[in-house]
Amino acid sequence: MPQSPSPGNTSVIIPAFNEELSIAATLDRIVAAFGGSPEIIVVSDGSSDRTFEVAASWLRDTGCGIAIQLASNVGSHAAIRCGLERASGDTVAIISADGQDPPEVLPQMARMVAEGMDLVWGERTGRRRDPWIRRVLAAAYYRMFRLVTGLEYPPSGFDFIVMSRHAVAALGRYRERNLPLFLAVFNLGLASATVPYQRAERVAGTSGWTISKRLRLAMDMLTSYSPAPIRMVSGVGLIIGVLGVVFGAFTVIRALRGGVPVEGWASLMVVSSLMLGTLLVAVGFIGEYLWRTLDEIRARPLFIERDVADHR
């Protein structure tokens, strides 16, 4: 029987993008929560500020981790995968750099992993601190995502997690470039549990999680685990095709009876616009799948490390 990991043997991965004002406070809270120094891995995701320098200086003084500066901004999921390659702990935690996820619950989550869980999620009890429009859009998206894919993904999302070494190894078998990381973890099917928490305000600065990045992640989630978008467009195309045949037959019958009026330009334009719009949507979805296939075939590096400060 393999020995269960201890809460103290934990690697904490922190993806950070322009978080020089908050990273030191987050690191202080992590060390205070564990009552010591776990292995800390800060991955600066192509930050244009001093995130890497601040983290490297903090880790140099404590001697408990490594700071990595990526050459460009590749996204938090790719940055986390960079950290996973460096993590050596039996238990691996992923937490944001902005202080919104509470480091104080990490030891509890690590103990649950040590007791037999492979995955322990931090479950947000709500999004009350987010603007109302963001809450509405998030709820609508996750409801649609569950309907389209059939996956019971939590309505508040998951991005705060502690994993066993077994889960990390299983995740490492995924090689896709456009991988929605937390959806992949959720889909592993390993023993899991949740710990509720209230998401706090940012310590400082502004979020780099832009609308365009959210849309890209949404598309990655939809296309990575379900052919439903293509099938949905195909279904719509089939329905429109059947209606077109019926309408065509109806028109021919009326023409044979001499009852076709000259009018009809407006209805013709409506039908043509509807069909053209459906066709463009279908081409767009097919293009998304083809682009991801091309991206995988080229097998370019997911990230490039520009600088590393290892103080372990």
Side-chain angles (χ1 to χ4, degrees):
M1 290 286 293
Q3 187 176 6
S4 298
S6 65
N9 188 15
T10 302
S11 298
V12 182
I13 299 172
I14 310 171
F17 177 65
N18 292 344
E19 297 287 359
E20 67 171 320
L21 299 178
S22 58
I23 187 63
T26 299
L27 294 172
D28 287 338
R29 290 175 64 188
I30 291 173
V31 170
F34 279 94
S37 298
E39 179 185 56
I40 296 176
I41 303 170
V42 179
V43 183
S44 175
D45 184 19
S47 299
S48 58
D49 64 1
R50 298 184 64 256
T51 298
F52 172 73
E53 289 79 6
V54 172
S57 176
W58 191 98
L59 293 170
R60 182 180 62 247
D61 293 340
T62 57
C64 66
I66 179 173
I68 303 168
Q69 173 71 15
L70 300 184
S72 61
N73 179 235
V74 294
S76 61
H77 289 197
I80 291 170
R81 292 169 75 175
C82 173
L84 289 172
E85 291 185 1
R86 298 274 188 166
S88 61
D90 293 324
T91 306
V92 179
I94 300 171
I95 189 171
S96 64
D98 55 21
Q100 291 187 282
D101 298 332
E104 291 74 19
V105 302
L106 283 177
Q108 175 191 351
M109 296 168 73
R111 280 193 295 272
M112 294 171 70
V113 170
E115 291 167 0
M117 291 291 110
D118 282 304
L119 306 167
V120 178
W121 303 91
E123 183 177 14
R124 279 175 275 182
T125 55
R127 290 175 171 263
R128 287 178 294 177
R129 297 181 184 274
D130 292 342
W132 69 270
I133 184 63
R134 185 177 296 177
R135 296 198 301 269
V136 170
L137 291 176
Y141 169 74
Y142 284 119
R143 187 174 293 111
M144 180 196 69
F145 177 79
R146 291 195 299 273
L147 178 65
V148 169
T149 64
L151 297 175
E152 292 299 322
Y153 200 70
S156 60
F158 275 142
D159 51 15
F160 178 34
I161 184 174
V162 177
M163 300 184 287
S164 69
R165 175 52 59 180
H166 173 57
V168 173
L171 184 62
R173 298 176 65 181
Y174 286 78
R175 297 300 181 186
E176 297 100 313
R177 287 180 49 80
N178 300 290
L179 179 68
L181 187 72
F182 295 107
L183 179 56
V185 174
F186 178 80
N187 205 48
L188 289 175
L190 300 176
S192 63
T194 60
V195 173
Y197 76 98
Q198 276 288 344
R199 194 167 173 85
E201 297 284 356
R202 289 180 59 87
V203 172
T206 58
S207 175
W209 192 229
T210 61
I211 295 295
S212 62
K213 291 180 179 179
R214 293 173 189 269
L215 291 175
R216 178 181 176 184
L217 176 61
M219 185 58 69
D220 285 343
M221 291 177 69
L222 283 174
T223 56
S224 293
Y225 278 88
S226 175
I230 292 293
R231 291 176 179 172
M232 180 175 61
V233 172
S234 298
V236 173
L238 179 62
I239 293 172
I240 292 177
V242 171
L243 292 176
V245 171
V246 173
F247 181 72
F250 176 74
T251 303
V252 169
I253 293 173
R254 290 190 64 188
L256 292 175
R257 292 181 176 181
V260 178
V262 176
E263 295 82 0
W265 182 87
S267 59
L268 179 62
M269 289 300 100
V270 170
V271 173
S272 299
S273 299
L274 179 61
M275 294 181 66
L276 181 60
T278 303
L279 179 62
L280 290 176
V281 171
V283 171
F285 274 119
I286 293 172
E288 288 290 340
Y289 282 99
L290 289 177
W291 165 252
R292 282 158 175 74
T293 302
L294 174 63
D295 211 21
E296 297 298 333
I297 292 173
R298 290 187 302 198
R300 294 175 178 174
L302 186 61
F303 53 82
I304 295 176
E305 298 176 359
R306 190 177 72 190
D307 200 357
V308 177
D310 195 341
H311 300 292
R312 291 176 291 186

